[in-house]
Amino acid sequence: MDIKTITDTYAVSAQIEPNDVQALVDAGFTTVICNRPDSEVPPALQAAEIKAAVEAAGLKFVINPVVHGQLTQDILDIQAREIETATGKCFAYCASGNRS
């Protein structure tokens, strides 16, 4: 996992796996945002699997999928709200990190 820091409280990366969650905990993240639609990934990497690992580690998980070419104001509002209200650092992922 290659975490790219955007601000002091927000970072992004490409798709994560359940075994990456401990590194997020160790890095001080408290919220994980999934910007990747389940249709893009196999079942083992879909939101439910990542959510289970994230919540088991005590972090908040938010599903906010961004489909290529379909970015809406609602998606932007959810992302902004989650970043602003996170109790610590916020981490988001998608296929490459670019949508996040």
Side-chain angles (χ1 to χ4, degrees):
M1 174 175 53
D2 181 24
I3 298 174
K4 294 179 177 34
T5 300
I6 306 301
T7 70
D8 290 341
T9 59
Y10 184 66
V12 303
S13 83
Q15 176 69 49
I16 62 170
E17 298 182 9
N19 62 3
D20 291 324
V21 173
Q22 187 59 50
L24 297 175
V25 171
D26 294 345
F29 292 101
T30 60
T31 300
V32 175
I33 302 173
C34 172
N35 291 136
R36 192 160 194 198
D38 278 345
S39 61
E40 296 181 359
V41 293
L45 296 178
Q46 290 184 355
E49 296 296 318
I50 305 299
K51 178 181 181 178
V54 166
E55 290 181 346
L59 306 180
K60 180 179 180 182
F61 186 79
V62 178
I63 300 173
N64 190 27
V66 179
V67 176
H68 287 287
Q70 297 180 24
L71 187 62
T72 66
Q73 189 61 50
D74 286 342
I75 291 168
L76 294 172
D77 291 344
I78 291 168
Q79 196 87 357
R81 182 182 67 239
E82 293 301 331
I83 294 166
E84 291 168 5
T85 62
T87 59
K89 296 191 317 184
C90 191
F91 170 84
Y93 71 91
C94 59
S96 66
N98 289 339
R99 286 179 275 179
S100 295

